[in-house]
């Protein structure tokens, strides 16, 4: 079964320009899936559509076997979201926010307490438990957001840029948490620009370009794929494959003033 | 370990969670200090001989101060609406919890304002006036909750504060409160005023539970509120 199924998704904004243009994607269950694309490719819009925060203009969205339609909430109890903008209540402390998230996911108080204790220890936030989220660093905020997305043991976690703007220790904690969840059968769907990390972390990747998927493969096969214009050449890394896929064959002008 | 309770219990857990969060937020958010700014004018109004009773400015200050709790239920903080949509919200429970918090705060601040303003008023606030105030609130709060819920979805405000928009919303809310006071004004002229207020208030509560909440939930489930909120 697929954790996420997108069929012919289209989305335009005010100017009429299509941000998502016939996006079709299958994300198999229990995979760590990297959803890649340059800025403006439509990744965040896709995630907002998955989260039900924006409706698609056309197409079908299925998550964990359920159609995403306005008013349907059952599937949300099996998903955790970490979005790029802070969608938590930043006046709460980490502990309060996790209590809130646990309560909204319908967990009992005893279960919430046990999990909060473990989350505070795992994410090393024990000394920040009583400080408002608004005063925490970006890395800590991402940990808080991820903690809320994990507290109900979801079947699917959707993360938009979870590794951006954070220090190495926070990144390690977040990657570890995602790998633990994935090892338990949770599907992890994330966007990131940190391509070497995605290559090491993810089992599958898809590249979104101009609102549509232009490549989807398993990460293990990246280095055996052949170059589209140079068939005798393979790729040395996911980064190389990504650049070849989205650069439209253009070349960059030289910075002559730096070369003098 | 069984961690997932049945649906009805989830709805109750969500309601408790929302009430708890709303109360903490109200006590913690500095914007709610604007309540205090309404107190001096209310005290001055109570000193005016033609005001009738010190309860009147207490009622006005309470309703004006709590306007966002009625009129902007989904965006008490800037991203609350989106954040709530990421959870499997039983919207009926969530809205009922938010409305219940508004009711509780209305009663609490009416009592606090009534006592504070009564202290400065030329004549002490008597039992009759307190009863007058409570009966008045009973007749107006449920219509205000109904209109407030619909307004919260039609015209959500991402940021609350002292902007001209907030001022205009406050004025419109007070005009609406004035219109909702008409039945009370009529009932108060009759001998059966208390009974009529109680019956009218009860019917208002029934309408809120049976009609207003389902209508609000239906609008919320359409998801349109997130498209309407300004950035």
């Amino acid at each position: 079964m697929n954790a996420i199924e997108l069929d012919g998704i289209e989305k335009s904004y005010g100017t009429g320009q299509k941000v998502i243009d016939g996006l079709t994607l299958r994300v198999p269950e229990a995979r760590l899936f990297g959803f890649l694309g340059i800025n403006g490719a439509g990744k965040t819009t896709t995630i907002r559509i998955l989260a039900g925060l924006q409706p698609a203009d056309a197409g079908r969205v299925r998550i964990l076997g359920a159609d995403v339609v306005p008013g349907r909430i059952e599937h949300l109890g099996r998903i955790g979201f970490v979005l790029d903008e802070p969608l938590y209540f930043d006046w709460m402390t980490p502990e309060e926010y996790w209590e809130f998230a646990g309560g909204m996911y319908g967990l009992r108080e005893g279960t919430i307490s046990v999990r909060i204790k473990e989350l505070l220890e795992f994410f090393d936030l024990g000394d920040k438990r009583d400080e408002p989220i608004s005063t925490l660093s970006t890395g800590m905020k991402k940990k808080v957001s991820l903690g809320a997305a994990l507290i109900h043991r979801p079947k699917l976690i959707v993360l938009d840029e979870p590794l951006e703007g954070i220090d190495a220790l926070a990144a390690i904690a977040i990657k570890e948490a995602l790998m633990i969840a994935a090892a338990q059968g949770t599907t992890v769907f994330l966007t990131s620009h940190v391509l070497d990390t995605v290559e090491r972390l993810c089992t599958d990747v898809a590249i979104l370009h101009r609102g549509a998927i232009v490549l989807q493969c398993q990460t293990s096969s990246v280095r055996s794929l052949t170059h589209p214009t140079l068939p005798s050449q393979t790729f040395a890394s996911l980064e190389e494959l990504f650049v070849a896929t989205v650069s439209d064959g253009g070349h960059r002008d030289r910075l002559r003033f730096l070369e003098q | 370990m069984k961690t997932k309770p049945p649906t009805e219990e989830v709805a109750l857990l969500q309601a408790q969670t929302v009430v708890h969060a709303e109360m903490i937020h109200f006590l913690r958010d500095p914007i709610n200090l604007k309540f205090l700014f309404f107190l001096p004018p209310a005290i001055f109004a109570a000193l005016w001989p033609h005001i009738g009773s010190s309860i009147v400015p207490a009622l006005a200050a309470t309703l004006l101060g709590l306007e966002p709790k009625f009129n902007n239920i989904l965006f008490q903080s800037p991203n609350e609406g989106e954040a709530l949509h990421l959870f499997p919200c039983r919207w009926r429970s969530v809205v009922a919890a938010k409305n219940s918090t508004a009711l509780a705060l209305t009663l609490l601040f009416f009592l606090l304002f009534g006592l504070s303003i009564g202290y400065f008023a030329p004549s002490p606030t008597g039992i009759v006036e307190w009863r007058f105030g409570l009966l008045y609130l009973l007749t107006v709060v449920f219509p205000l909750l109904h209109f407030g819920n619909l307004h919260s979805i039609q015209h959500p405000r991402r940021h609350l504060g002292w902007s001209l928009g907030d001022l205009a919303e406050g004025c419109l809310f007070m005009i609406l409160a004035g219109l909702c006071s008409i039945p009370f004004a009529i009932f108060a002229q009759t001998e059966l005023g208390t009974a009529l207020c109680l019956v009218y208030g009860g019917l208002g509560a029934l309408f809120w539970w049976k009609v207003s909440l389902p209508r609000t939930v239906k609008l919320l489930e359409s998801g349109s509120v997130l498209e309407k909120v300004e950035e």
Side-chain angles (χ1 to χ4, degrees), chain B:
Chain B
M1 183 169 59
K2 193 177 177 187
T3 56
K4 280 283 176 189
T7 309
E8 299 76 26
E9 197 181 333
V10 171
L12 188 62
L13 280 166
Q14 287 190 346
Q16 287 169 349
T17 303
V18 169
V19 168
H20 185 235
E22 291 268 309
M23 285 296 191
I24 297 177
H25 181 244
F26 189 81
L27 297 172
R28 208 174 281 173
D29 191 344
I31 194 65
N32 293 315
L33 289 176
K34 76 177 181 183
F35 249 108
L36 299 178
F37 288 91
F38 297 131
L39 197 53
I43 290 169
F44 274 112
L47 298 174
W48 189 38
H50 301 291
I51 197 75
S53 165
S54 61
I55 285 294
V56 176
L59 287 167
T62 301
L63 291 176
L64 190 57
L66 285 172
E67 178 271 325
K69 284 277 168 202
F70 287 86
N71 258 356
N72 200 40
I73 60 169
L74 283 176
F75 287 93
Q76 294 295 303
S77 54
N79 293 311
E80 184 181 343
E82 283 90 348
L84 285 173
H85 276 80
L86 298 183
F87 294 111
C89 284
R90 269 74 182 170
W91 285 111
R92 188 181 173 101
S93 301
V94 171
V95 175
K98 282 176 167 282
N99 286 174
S100 302
T101 311
L103 282 177
L105 288 171
T106 303
L107 271 180
L108 178 69
F109 278 89
F110 168 61
L111 292 175
L112 290 175
F113 273 25
L115 289 171
S116 309
I117 295 166
Y119 178 79
F120 294 99
S123 55
T125 313
I127 294 289
V128 176
E129 287 166 299
W130 281 108
R131 199 189 63 173
F132 167 93
L134 288 172
L135 284 174
Y136 171 78
L137 282 181
L138 180 66
T139 57
V140 297
V141 284
F142 291 107
L144 288 178
L145 284 176
H146 171 67
F147 290 117
N149 287 345
L150 298 181
H151 190 74
S152 300
I153 293 164
Q154 300 296 338
H155 302 283
R157 282 175 283 163
R158 190 176 290 284
H159 299 280
L160 294 171
W162 291 99
S163 69
L164 276 178
D166 290 314
L167 189 66
E169 291 283 357
C171 292
L172 287 173
F173 183 71
M174 292 314 284
I175 291 170
L176 180 66
L179 291 172
C180 291
S181 309
I182 292 171
F184 177 81
I186 296 167
F187 300 153
Q189 306 299 320
T190 66
E191 284 181 12
L192 291 171
T194 302
L196 286 172
C197 286
L198 289 172
V199 171
Y200 182 78
L203 288 173
L206 193 67
F207 176 82
W208 167 74
W209 185 254
K210 291 276 186 192
V211 179
S212 180
L213 281 182
R215 194 176 293 177
T216 307
V217 169
K218 200 172 173 185
L219 287 170
L220 271 170
E221 286 178 346
S222 73
S224 59
V225 65
L226 298 180
E227 291 167 35
K228 285 176 180 153
V229 68
E230 81 283 5
E231 288 305 323

